[in-house]
Amino acid sequence: IRGIRNLIIYSLPERKEFYYETVNMLEGSDDLACTVLFSQYDKLQLERIVGTAPAKRLIKSEKGVFVFC
């Protein structure tokens, strides 16, 4: 994906490697953003990407926006 600056992922990937590969393709841009939409029902997929404890914290949080690398 050449020249992309904003990436929106509507569904968490089944394989965590796909998420990292996709986000790493954005490194060439100075002004980049990646938004991932998830709900409480996506807990298992979220656990695969960020781990069990962080996924629980993200799902239970009152905050609407999270930034993590």
Side-chain angles (χ1 to χ4, degrees), residues 16 19-20 23-24 27 32-34 36 46 48-51 54 57-58 66-69:
K16 67 179 181 179
Y19 173 78
Y20 294 116
V23 172
N24 285 336
E27 285 184 4
L32 60 94
C34 179
V36 180
L46 191 59
R48 289 186 202 123
I49 296 172
V50 298
R57 189 175 64 244
L58 290 169
F66 307 98
V67 177
F68 58 91
C69 300

Side-chain angles (χ1 to χ4, degrees), residues 18-31:
F18 178 76
Y19 173 78
Y20 294 116
E21 289 172 6
T22 305
V23 172
N24 285 336
M25 284 192 276
L26 302 175
E27 285 184 4
S29 177
D30 293 333
D31 183 28

Side-chain angles (χ1 to χ4, degrees), residues 8-65:
I8 300 172
I9 300 175
Y10 290 102
S11 176
L12 292 168
E14 291 293 320
R15 294 180 46 222
K16 67 179 181 179
E17 294 83 15
F18 178 76
Y19 173 78
Y20 294 116
E21 289 172 6
T22 305
V23 172
N24 285 336
M25 284 192 276
L26 302 175
E27 285 184 4
S29 177
D30 293 333
D31 183 28
L32 60 94
C34 179
T35 304
V36 180
L37 305 176
F38 64 89
S39 72
Q40 64 185 8
Y41 305 109
D42 297 320
K43 184 180 174 203
L44 293 176
Q45 286 108 340
L46 191 59
E47 283 181 359
R48 289 186 202 123
I49 296 172
V50 298
T52 303
K56 286 180 184 178
R57 189 175 64 244
L58 290 169
I59 295 292
K60 291 182 180 180
S61 177
E62 296 290 326
K63 187 176 174 183
V65 176

